PDB file of all heavy atoms in Angstrom:
ATOM      1  N   LEU A   1     -51.565 -94.616   4.822  1.00 91.00           N
ATOM      2  CA  LEU A   1     -51.153 -95.798   5.566  1.00 91.00           C
ATOM      3  C   LEU A   1     -51.187 -96.995   4.626  1.00 91.00           C
ATOM      4  O   LEU A   1     -52.259 -97.420   4.191  1.00 91.00           O
ATOM      5  CB  LEU A   1     -52.086 -96.030   6.757  1.00 91.00           C
ATOM      6  CG  LEU A   1     -52.332 -94.823   7.675  1.00 91.00           C
ATOM      7  CD1 LEU A   1     -53.327 -95.192   8.774  1.00 91.00           C
ATOM      8  CD2 LEU A   1     -51.028 -94.313   8.275  1.00 91.00           C
ATOM      9  N   MET A   2     -50.008 -97.539   4.322  1.00 87.00           N
ATOM     10  CA  MET A   2     -49.926 -98.606   3.340  1.00 87.00           C
ATOM     11  C   MET A   2     -50.096-100.008   3.950  1.00 87.00           C
ATOM     12  O   MET A   2     -50.534-100.924   3.280  1.00 87.00           O
ATOM     13  CB  MET A   2     -48.565 -98.544   2.624  1.00 87.00           C
ATOM     14  CG  MET A   2     -48.408 -97.350   1.706  1.00 87.00           C
ATOM     15  SD  MET A   2     -49.391 -97.548   0.209  1.00 87.00           S
ATOM     16  CE  MET A   2     -48.591 -96.337  -0.852  1.00 87.00           C
ATOM     17  N   ASP A   3     -49.702-100.178   5.212  1.00 87.00           N
ATOM     18  CA  ASP A   3     -49.701-101.512   5.817  1.00 87.00           C
ATOM     19  C   ASP A   3     -50.311-101.488   7.204  1.00 87.00           C
ATOM     20  O   ASP A   3     -50.365-100.440   7.861  1.00 87.00           O
ATOM     21  CB  ASP A   3     -48.265-102.063   5.880  1.00 87.00           C
ATOM     22  CG  ASP A   3     -47.647-102.254   4.502  1.00 87.00           C
ATOM     23  OD1 ASP A   3     -48.153-103.083   3.738  1.00 87.00           O
ATOM     24  OD2 ASP A   3     -46.668-101.546   4.197  1.00 87.00           O
ATOM     25  N   GLU A   4     -50.733-102.672   7.674  1.00 89.00           N
ATOM     26  CA  GLU A   4     -51.406-102.775   8.967  1.00 89.00           C
ATOM     27  C   GLU A   4     -50.462-102.509  10.137  1.00 89.00           C
ATOM     28  O   GLU A   4     -50.898-102.115  11.208  1.00 89.00           O
ATOM     29  CB  GLU A   4     -52.017-104.173   9.118  1.00 89.00           C
ATOM     30  CG  GLU A   4     -53.118-104.494   8.122  1.00 89.00           C
ATOM     31  CD  GLU A   4     -54.367-103.666   8.346  1.00 89.00           C
ATOM     32  OE1 GLU A   4     -54.569-103.201   9.486  1.00 89.00           O
ATOM     33  OE2 GLU A   4     -55.143-103.496   7.388  1.00 89.00           O
ATOM     34  N   GLY A   5     -49.165-102.713   9.950  1.00 92.00           N
ATOM     35  CA  GLY A   5     -48.231-102.608  11.066  1.00 92.00           C
ATOM     36  C   GLY A   5     -47.723-101.222  11.377  1.00 92.00           C
ATOM     37  O   GLY A   5     -46.929-101.038  12.302  1.00 92.00           O
ATOM     38  N   VAL A   6     -48.155-100.192  10.641  1.00 94.00           N
ATOM     39  CA  VAL A   6     -47.633 -98.841  10.862  1.00 94.00           C
ATOM     40  C   VAL A   6     -48.271 -98.202  12.092  1.00 94.00           C
ATOM     41  O   VAL A   6     -49.347 -98.612  12.543  1.00 94.00           O
ATOM     42  CB  VAL A   6     -47.871 -97.941   9.624  1.00 94.00           C
ATOM     43  CG1 VAL A   6     -47.215 -98.528   8.393  1.00 94.00           C
ATOM     44  CG2 VAL A   6     -49.368 -97.727   9.388  1.00 94.00           C
ATOM     45  N   HIS A   7     -47.567 -97.193  12.624  1.00 95.00           N
ATOM     46  CA  HIS A   7     -48.088 -96.428  13.766  1.00 95.00           C
ATOM     47  C   HIS A   7     -48.032 -94.946  13.412  1.00 95.00           C
ATOM     48  O   HIS A   7     -46.988 -94.433  13.026  1.00 95.00           O
ATOM     49  CB  HIS A   7     -47.261 -96.685  15.029  1.00 95.00           C
ATOM     50  CG  HIS A   7     -47.341 -98.089  15.531  1.00 95.00           C
ATOM     51  ND1 HIS A   7     -48.315 -98.525  16.392  1.00 95.00           N
ATOM     52  CD2 HIS A   7     -46.576 -99.171  15.267  1.00 95.00           C
ATOM     53  CE1 HIS A   7     -48.145 -99.802  16.654  1.00 95.00           C
ATOM     54  NE2 HIS A   7     -47.095-100.229  15.967  1.00 95.00           N
ATOM     55  N   ASN A   8     -49.151 -94.261  13.563  1.00 95.00           N
ATOM     56  CA  ASN A   8     -49.219 -92.837  13.236  1.00 95.00           C
ATOM     57  C   ASN A   8     -49.811 -92.057  14.403  1.00 95.00           C
ATOM     58  O   ASN A   8     -50.826 -92.452  14.987  1.00 95.00           O
ATOM     59  CB  ASN A   8     -50.094 -92.615  11.994  1.00 95.00           C
ATOM     60  CG  ASN A   8     -50.239 -91.145  11.672  1.00 95.00           C
ATOM     61  OD1 ASN A   8     -49.311 -90.513  11.178  1.00 95.00           O
ATOM     62  ND2 ASN A   8     -51.403 -90.578  11.977  1.00 95.00           N
ATOM     63  N   ARG A   9     -49.136 -90.947  14.731  1.00 94.00           N
ATOM     64  CA  ARG A   9     -49.661 -90.022  15.745  1.00 94.00           C
ATOM     65  C   ARG A   9     -49.620 -88.616  15.165  1.00 94.00           C
ATOM     66  O   ARG A   9     -48.555 -88.149  14.747  1.00 94.00           O
ATOM     67  CB  ARG A   9     -48.822 -90.085  17.025  1.00 94.00           C
ATOM     68  CG  ARG A   9     -48.683 -91.471  17.627  1.00 94.00           C
ATOM     69  CD  ARG A   9     -47.724 -91.472  18.804  1.00 94.00           C
ATOM     70  NE  ARG A   9     -47.384 -92.820  19.221  1.00 94.00           N
ATOM     71  CZ  ARG A   9     -46.422 -93.564  18.696  1.00 94.00           C
ATOM     72  NH1 ARG A   9     -45.676 -93.048  17.705  1.00 94.00           N
ATOM     73  NH2 ARG A   9     -46.176 -94.776  19.125  1.00 94.00           N
ATOM     74  N   THR A  10     -50.752 -87.951  15.161  1.00 93.00           N
ATOM     75  CA  THR A  10     -50.844 -86.590  14.650  1.00 93.00           C
ATOM     76  C   THR A  10     -51.382 -85.686  15.753  1.00 93.00           C
ATOM     77  O   THR A  10     -52.452 -85.954  16.306  1.00 93.00           O
ATOM     78  CB  THR A  10     -51.769 -86.524  13.417  1.00 93.00           C
ATOM     79  OG1 THR A  10     -51.223 -87.343  12.380  1.00 93.00           O
ATOM     80  CG2 THR A  10     -51.905 -85.106  12.907  1.00 93.00           C
ATOM     81  N   VAL A  11     -50.616 -84.635  16.091  1.00 94.00           N
ATOM     82  CA  VAL A  11     -50.990 -83.760  17.211  1.00 94.00           C
ATOM     83  C   VAL A  11     -51.030 -82.312  16.720  1.00 94.00           C
ATOM     84  O   VAL A  11     -50.044 -81.572  16.849  1.00 94.00           O
ATOM     85  CB  VAL A  11     -50.006 -83.897  18.389  1.00 94.00           C
ATOM     86  CG1 VAL A  11     -50.556 -83.177  19.624  1.00 94.00           C
ATOM     87  CG2 VAL A  11     -49.710 -85.343  18.710  1.00 94.00           C
ATOM     88  N   PRO A  12     -52.150 -81.872  16.145  1.00 93.00           N
ATOM     89  CA  PRO A  12     -52.279 -80.456  15.782  1.00 93.00           C
ATOM     90  C   PRO A  12     -52.696 -79.647  17.012  1.00 93.00           C
ATOM     91  O   PRO A  12     -53.611 -80.024  17.744  1.00 93.00           O
ATOM     92  CB  PRO A  12     -53.379 -80.473  14.721  1.00 93.00           C
ATOM     93  CG  PRO A  12     -54.223 -81.660  15.069  1.00 93.00           C
ATOM     94  CD  PRO A  12     -53.321 -82.661  15.753  1.00 93.00           C
ATOM     95  N   LEU A  13     -52.010 -78.533  17.245  1.00 95.00           N
ATOM     96  CA  LEU A  13     -52.267 -77.745  18.449  1.00 95.00           C
ATOM     97  C   LEU A  13     -52.347 -76.269  18.099  1.00 95.00           C
ATOM     98  O   LEU A  13     -51.480 -75.746  17.395  1.00 95.00           O
ATOM     99  CB  LEU A  13     -51.134 -77.977  19.459  1.00 95.00           C
ATOM    100  CG  LEU A  13     -51.161 -77.184  20.770  1.00 95.00           C
ATOM    101  CD1 LEU A  13     -52.378 -77.546  21.596  1.00 95.00           C
ATOM    102  CD2 LEU A  13     -49.883 -77.426  21.564  1.00 95.00           C
ATOM    103  N   ILE A  14     -53.406 -75.618  18.563  1.00 96.00           N
ATOM    104  CA  ILE A  14     -53.536 -74.171  18.409  1.00 96.00           C
ATOM    105  C   ILE A  14     -53.660 -73.551  19.796  1.00 96.00           C
ATOM    106  O   ILE A  14     -54.552 -73.902  20.567  1.00 96.00           O
ATOM    107  CB  ILE A  14     -54.746 -73.797  17.540  1.00 96.00           C
ATOM    108  CG1 ILE A  14     -54.550 -74.294  16.111  1.00 96.00           C
ATOM    109  CG2 ILE A  14     -54.950 -72.273  17.537  1.00 96.00           C
ATOM    110  CD1 ILE A  14     -55.699 -73.970  15.167  1.00 96.00           C
ATOM    111  N   LEU A  15     -52.741 -72.652  20.113  1.00 96.00           N
ATOM    112  CA  LEU A  15     -52.775 -71.903  21.371  1.00 96.00           C
ATOM    113  C   LEU A  15     -53.219 -70.484  21.063  1.00 96.00           C
ATOM    114  O   LEU A  15     -52.725 -69.874  20.118  1.00 96.00           O
ATOM    115  CB  LEU A  15     -51.388 -71.901  22.025  1.00 96.00           C
ATOM    116  CG  LEU A  15     -50.743 -73.273  22.251  1.00 96.00           C
ATOM    117  CD1 LEU A  15     -49.327 -73.120  22.784  1.00 96.00           C
ATOM    118  CD2 LEU A  15     -51.586 -74.112  23.204  1.00 96.00           C
ATOM    119  N   CYS A  16     -54.114 -69.952  21.865  1.00 95.00           N
ATOM    120  CA  CYS A  16     -54.690 -68.655  21.517  1.00 95.00           C
ATOM    121  C   CYS A  16     -54.827 -67.758  22.739  1.00 95.00           C
ATOM    122  O   CYS A  16     -55.627 -68.016  23.637  1.00 95.00           O
ATOM    123  CB  CYS A  16     -56.057 -68.862  20.867  1.00 95.00           C
ATOM    124  SG  CYS A  16     -56.702 -67.395  20.073  1.00 95.00           S
ATOM    125  N   ALA A  17     -54.009 -66.684  22.758  1.00 95.00           N
ATOM    126  CA  ALA A  17     -54.117 -65.659  23.806  1.00 95.00           C
ATOM    127  C   ALA A  17     -54.614 -64.340  23.220  1.00 95.00           C
ATOM    128  O   ALA A  17     -54.667 -63.334  23.925  1.00 95.00           O
ATOM    129  CB  ALA A  17     -52.769 -65.455  24.479  1.00 95.00           C
ATOM    130  N   GLU A  18     -54.956 -64.346  21.937  1.00 94.00           N
ATOM    131  CA  GLU A  18     -55.448 -63.156  21.238  1.00 94.00           C
ATOM    132  C   GLU A  18     -56.764 -63.522  20.537  1.00 94.00           C
ATOM    133  O   GLU A  18     -56.855 -64.544  19.854  1.00 94.00           O
ATOM    134  CB  GLU A  18     -54.416 -62.673  20.210  1.00 94.00           C
ATOM    135  CG  GLU A  18     -54.889 -61.540  19.321  1.00 94.00           C
ATOM    136  CD  GLU A  18     -55.279 -60.301  20.103  1.00 94.00           C
ATOM    137  OE1 GLU A  18     -54.473 -59.849  20.938  1.00 94.00           O
ATOM    138  OE2 GLU A  18     -56.402 -59.797  19.876  1.00 94.00           O
ATOM    139  N   GLU A  19     -57.776 -62.682  20.722  1.00 91.00           N
ATOM    140  CA  GLU A  19     -59.099 -63.006  20.194  1.00 91.00           C
ATOM    141  C   GLU A  19     -59.217 -62.774  18.690  1.00 91.00           C
ATOM    142  O   GLU A  19     -59.852 -63.549  17.967  1.00 91.00           O
ATOM    143  CB  GLU A  19     -60.176 -62.182  20.920  1.00 91.00           C
ATOM    144  CG  GLU A  19     -60.310 -62.527  22.395  1.00 91.00           C
ATOM    145  CD  GLU A  19     -61.426 -61.743  23.050  1.00 91.00           C
ATOM    146  OE1 GLU A  19     -62.101 -60.966  22.341  1.00 91.00           O
ATOM    147  OE2 GLU A  19     -61.625 -61.907  24.266  1.00 91.00           O
ATOM    148  N   ASP A  20     -58.602 -61.730  18.191  1.00 94.00           N
ATOM    149  CA  ASP A  20     -58.818 -61.324  16.801  1.00 94.00           C
ATOM    150  C   ASP A  20     -57.842 -62.035  15.861  1.00 94.00           C
ATOM    151  O   ASP A  20     -56.983 -61.426  15.229  1.00 94.00           O
ATOM    152  CB  ASP A  20     -58.655 -59.807  16.685  1.00 94.00           C
ATOM    153  CG  ASP A  20     -59.184 -59.273  15.366  1.00 94.00           C
ATOM    154  OD1 ASP A  20     -59.825 -60.037  14.622  1.00 94.00           O
ATOM    155  OD2 ASP A  20     -58.949 -58.087  15.076  1.00 94.00           O
ATOM    156  N   VAL A  21     -57.974 -63.370  15.759  1.00 96.00           N
ATOM    157  CA  VAL A  21     -57.091 -64.175  14.915  1.00 96.00           C
ATOM    158  C   VAL A  21     -57.916 -65.278  14.253  1.00 96.00           C
ATOM    159  O   VAL A  21     -59.054 -65.549  14.629  1.00 96.00           O
ATOM    160  CB  VAL A  21     -55.941 -64.815  15.735  1.00 96.00           C
ATOM    161  CG1 VAL A  21     -55.001 -63.756  16.285  1.00 96.00           C
ATOM    162  CG2 VAL A  21     -56.489 -65.694  16.854  1.00 96.00           C
ATOM    163  N   GLU A  22     -57.306 -65.926  13.264  1.00 96.00           N
ATOM    164  CA  GLU A  22     -57.938 -67.070  12.605  1.00 96.00           C
ATOM    165  C   GLU A  22     -56.954 -68.232  12.556  1.00 96.00           C
ATOM    166  O   GLU A  22     -55.858 -68.094  12.017  1.00 96.00           O
ATOM    167  CB  GLU A  22     -58.359 -66.710  11.172  1.00 96.00           C
ATOM    168  CG  GLU A  22     -59.465 -65.682  11.084  1.00 96.00           C
ATOM    169  CD  GLU A  22     -59.874 -65.423   9.650  1.00 96.00           C
ATOM    170  OE1 GLU A  22     -59.510 -66.236   8.771  1.00 96.00           O
ATOM    171  OE2 GLU A  22     -60.543 -64.408   9.401  1.00 96.00           O
ATOM    172  N   GLY A  23     -57.364 -69.366  13.119  1.00 95.00           N
ATOM    173  CA  GLY A  23     -56.523 -70.548  13.109  1.00 95.00           C
ATOM    174  C   GLY A  23     -57.312 -71.766  12.678  1.00 95.00           C
ATOM    175  O   GLY A  23     -58.496 -71.897  13.010  1.00 95.00           O
ATOM    176  N   ALA A  24     -56.673 -72.640  11.924  1.00 94.00           N
ATOM    177  CA  ALA A  24     -57.360 -73.846  11.444  1.00 94.00           C
ATOM    178  C   ALA A  24     -56.374 -74.998  11.382  1.00 94.00           C
ATOM    179  O   ALA A  24     -55.181 -74.811  11.154  1.00 94.00           O
ATOM    180  CB  ALA A  24     -57.973 -73.598  10.062  1.00 94.00           C
ATOM    181  N   HIS A  25     -56.878 -76.204  11.589  1.00 91.00           N
ATOM    182  CA  HIS A  25     -56.044 -77.384  11.430  1.00 91.00           C
ATOM    183  C   HIS A  25     -56.912 -78.542  10.944  1.00 91.00           C
ATOM    184  O   HIS A  25     -58.126 -78.562  11.140  1.00 91.00           O
ATOM    185  CB  HIS A  25     -55.328 -77.767  12.737  1.00 91.00           C
ATOM    186  CG  HIS A  25     -56.232 -78.093  13.882  1.00 91.00           C
ATOM    187  ND1 HIS A  25     -56.958 -79.262  13.961  1.00 91.00           N
ATOM    188  CD2 HIS A  25     -56.525 -77.396  15.010  1.00 91.00           C
ATOM    189  CE1 HIS A  25     -57.650 -79.276  15.081  1.00 91.00           C
ATOM    190  NE2 HIS A  25     -57.407 -78.152  15.738  1.00 91.00           N
ATOM    191  N   GLY A  26     -56.273 -79.495  10.296  1.00 88.00           N
ATOM    192  CA  GLY A  26     -56.995 -80.655   9.806  1.00 88.00           C
ATOM    193  C   GLY A  26     -56.027 -81.756   9.439  1.00 88.00           C
ATOM    194  O   GLY A  26     -54.852 -81.514   9.183  1.00 88.00           O
ATOM    195  N   ALA A  27     -56.539 -82.979   9.421  1.00 84.00           N
ATOM    196  CA  ALA A  27     -55.704 -84.130   9.072  1.00 84.00           C
ATOM    197  C   ALA A  27     -56.534 -85.128   8.279  1.00 84.00           C
ATOM    198  O   ALA A  27     -57.709 -85.364   8.579  1.00 84.00           O
ATOM    199  CB  ALA A  27     -55.134 -84.790  10.321  1.00 84.00           C
ATOM    200  N   SER A  28     -55.901 -85.684   7.268  1.00 86.00           N
ATOM    201  CA  SER A  28     -56.508 -86.752   6.470  1.00 86.00           C
ATOM    202  C   SER A  28     -55.614 -87.975   6.600  1.00 86.00           C
ATOM    203  O   SER A  28     -54.466 -87.961   6.152  1.00 86.00           O
ATOM    204  CB  SER A  28     -56.633 -86.325   4.999  1.00 86.00           C
ATOM    205  OG  SER A  28     -57.079 -87.400   4.199  1.00 86.00           O
ATOM    206  N   ILE A  29     -56.136 -89.026   7.226  1.00 85.00           N
ATOM    207  CA  ILE A  29     -55.342 -90.210   7.525  1.00 85.00           C
ATOM    208  C   ILE A  29     -56.112 -91.436   7.068  1.00 85.00           C
ATOM    209  O   ILE A  29     -57.261 -91.643   7.472  1.00 85.00           O
ATOM    210  CB  ILE A  29     -55.041 -90.303   9.037  1.00 85.00           C
ATOM    211  CG1 ILE A  29     -54.333 -89.032   9.528  1.00 85.00           C
ATOM    212  CG2 ILE A  29     -54.204 -91.535   9.346  1.00 85.00           C
ATOM    213  CD1 ILE A  29     -54.246 -88.919  11.026  1.00 85.00           C
ATOM    214  N   GLY A  30     -55.507 -92.248   6.205  1.00 82.00           N
ATOM    215  CA  GLY A  30     -56.203 -93.437   5.750  1.00 82.00           C
ATOM    216  C   GLY A  30     -55.448 -94.193   4.687  1.00 82.00           C
ATOM    217  O   GLY A  30     -54.310 -93.869   4.344  1.00 82.00           O
ATOM    218  N   LYS A  31     -56.105 -95.219   4.162  1.00 81.00           N
ATOM    219  CA  LYS A  31     -55.521 -96.066   3.140  1.00 81.00           C
ATOM    220  C   LYS A  31     -55.984 -95.616   1.758  1.00 81.00           C
ATOM    221  O   LYS A  31     -56.856 -94.756   1.618  1.00 81.00           O
ATOM    222  CB  LYS A  31     -55.933 -97.525   3.376  1.00 81.00           C
ATOM    223  CG  LYS A  31     -55.497 -98.091   4.716  1.00 81.00           C
ATOM    224  CD  LYS A  31     -55.952 -99.527   4.876  1.00 81.00           C
ATOM    225  CE  LYS A  31     -55.499-100.115   6.205  1.00 81.00           C
ATOM    226  NZ  LYS A  31     -55.948-101.522   6.366  1.00 81.00           N
ATOM    227  N   ILE A  32     -55.399 -96.233   0.737  1.00 77.00           N
ATOM    228  CA  ILE A  32     -55.865 -95.990  -0.626  1.00 77.00           C
ATOM    229  C   ILE A  32     -57.280 -96.534  -0.760  1.00 77.00           C
ATOM    230  O   ILE A  32     -57.562 -97.670  -0.359  1.00 77.00           O
ATOM    231  CB  ILE A  32     -54.935 -96.675  -1.650  1.00 77.00           C
ATOM    232  CG1 ILE A  32     -53.506 -96.154  -1.519  1.00 77.00           C
ATOM    233  CG2 ILE A  32     -55.433 -96.440  -3.065  1.00 77.00           C
ATOM    234  CD1 ILE A  32     -52.509 -96.869  -2.392  1.00 77.00           C
ATOM    235  N   SER A  33     -58.168 -95.743  -1.282  1.00 74.00           N
ATOM    236  CA  SER A  33     -59.568 -96.159  -1.375  1.00 74.00           C
ATOM    237  C   SER A  33     -59.746 -97.293  -2.384  1.00 74.00           C
ATOM    238  O   SER A  33     -58.948 -97.452  -3.319  1.00 74.00           O
ATOM    239  CB  SER A  33     -60.443 -94.973  -1.783  1.00 74.00           C
ATOM    240  OG  SER A  33     -60.179 -94.598  -3.113  1.00 74.00           O
ATOM    241  N   ASP A  34     -60.798 -98.074  -2.191  1.00 75.00           N
ATOM    242  CA  ASP A  34     -61.097 -99.162  -3.124  1.00 75.00           C
ATOM    243  C   ASP A  34     -61.348 -98.641  -4.525  1.00 75.00           C
ATOM    244  O   ASP A  34     -61.021 -99.303  -5.517  1.00 75.00           O
ATOM    245  CB  ASP A  34     -62.318 -99.948  -2.625  1.00 75.00           C
ATOM    246  CG  ASP A  34     -62.030-100.714  -1.331  1.00 75.00           C
ATOM    247  OD1 ASP A  34     -60.838-100.983  -1.060  1.00 75.00           O
ATOM    248  OD2 ASP A  34     -62.988-101.028  -0.609  1.00 75.00           O
ATOM    249  N   GLU A  35     -61.939 -97.452  -4.613  1.00 80.00           N
ATOM    250  CA  GLU A  35     -62.226 -96.878  -5.928  1.00 80.00           C
ATOM    251  C   GLU A  35     -60.949 -96.582  -6.709  1.00 80.00           C
ATOM    252  O   GLU A  35     -60.862 -96.844  -7.910  1.00 80.00           O
ATOM    253  CB  GLU A  35     -63.050 -95.588  -5.781  1.00 80.00           C
ATOM    254  CG  GLU A  35     -64.477 -95.796  -5.293  1.00 80.00           C
ATOM    255  CD  GLU A  35     -64.555 -95.984  -3.784  1.00 80.00           C
ATOM    256  OE1 GLU A  35     -63.505 -95.873  -3.098  1.00 80.00           O
ATOM    257  OE2 GLU A  35     -65.668 -96.271  -3.291  1.00 80.00           O
ATOM    258  N   ILE A  36     -59.939 -96.037  -6.007  1.00 78.00           N
ATOM    259  CA  ILE A  36     -58.667 -95.745  -6.672  1.00 78.00           C
ATOM    260  C   ILE A  36     -57.961 -97.037  -7.076  1.00 78.00           C
ATOM    261  O   ILE A  36     -57.424 -97.159  -8.180  1.00 78.00           O
ATOM    262  CB  ILE A  36     -57.776 -94.894  -5.758  1.00 78.00           C
ATOM    263  CG1 ILE A  36     -58.375 -93.490  -5.594  1.00 78.00           C
ATOM    264  CG2 ILE A  36     -56.361 -94.789  -6.325  1.00 78.00           C
ATOM    265  CD1 ILE A  36     -57.611 -92.602  -4.646  1.00 78.00           C
ATOM    266  N   LEU A  37     -57.981 -98.031  -6.173  1.00 78.00           N
ATOM    267  CA  LEU A  37     -57.373 -99.323  -6.509  1.00 78.00           C
ATOM    268  C   LEU A  37     -58.023 -99.930  -7.746  1.00 78.00           C
ATOM    269  O   LEU A  37     -57.335-100.420  -8.657  1.00 78.00           O
ATOM    270  CB  LEU A  37     -57.507-100.286  -5.326  1.00 78.00           C
ATOM    271  CG  LEU A  37     -56.550-100.082  -4.149  1.00 78.00           C
ATOM    272  CD1 LEU A  37     -56.926-100.997  -2.992  1.00 78.00           C
ATOM    273  CD2 LEU A  37     -55.116-100.324  -4.562  1.00 78.00           C
ATOM    274  N   LEU A  38     -59.343 -99.897  -7.768  1.00 80.00           N
ATOM    275  CA  LEU A  38     -60.062-100.460  -8.913  1.00 80.00           C
ATOM    276  C   LEU A  38     -59.737 -99.717 -10.189  1.00 80.00           C
ATOM    277  O   LEU A  38     -59.546-100.326 -11.263  1.00 80.00           O
ATOM    278  CB  LEU A  38     -61.571-100.423  -8.645  1.00 80.00           C
ATOM    279  CG  LEU A  38     -62.465-100.974  -9.772  1.00 80.00           C
ATOM    280  CD1 LEU A  38     -62.145-102.450 -10.017  1.00 80.00           C
ATOM    281  CD2 LEU A  38     -63.932-100.799  -9.417  1.00 80.00           C
ATOM    282  N   TYR A  39     -59.642 -98.390 -10.098  1.00 79.00           N
ATOM    283  CA  TYR A  39     -59.342 -97.572 -11.275  1.00 79.00           C
ATOM    284  C   TYR A  39     -58.015 -97.993 -11.899  1.00 79.00           C
ATOM    285  O   TYR A  39     -57.914 -98.180 -13.117  1.00 79.00           O
ATOM    286  CB  TYR A  39     -59.306 -96.095 -10.875  1.00 79.00           C
ATOM    287  CG  TYR A  39     -58.880 -95.162 -11.995  1.00 79.00           C
ATOM    288  CD1 TYR A  39     -59.805 -94.691 -12.922  1.00 79.00           C
ATOM    289  CD2 TYR A  39     -57.549 -94.769 -12.122  1.00 79.00           C
ATOM    290  CE1 TYR A  39     -59.418 -93.840 -13.947  1.00 79.00           C
ATOM    291  CE2 TYR A  39     -57.150 -93.923 -13.143  1.00 79.00           C
ATOM    292  CZ  TYR A  39     -58.101 -93.461 -14.055  1.00 79.00           C
ATOM    293  OH  TYR A  39     -57.695 -92.636 -15.078  1.00 79.00           O
TER     294      TYR A  39
END
C-alpha cells in the first residue's frame, strides 16, 4: 500500500467437504517498512 487513499479487500476462502486434505492461505498487507526506506 503506497498511499493513504487506497482501498484493499482480500477474501481468502477454503471450502472443505473432504477430511483428508491440506489447505492454507495467508496475506501480507502493508506499507514499505521504515527500515527499508532508511536503507
Side-chain angles (χ1 to χ4, degrees):
L1 309 178
M2 290 287 198
D3 297 296
E4 296 292 336
V6 301
H7 295 273
N8 177 74
R9 304 174 191 85
T10 299
V11 190
L13 177 63
I14 295 180
L15 306 175
C16 193
E18 173 60 51
E19 295 183 2
D20 194 9
V21 294
E22 293 183 15
H25 60 73
S28 173
I29 303 169
K31 300 179 179 180
I32 301 174
S33 69
D34 292 338
E35 291 80 4
I36 292 177
L37 283 173
L38 179 61
Y39 175 85

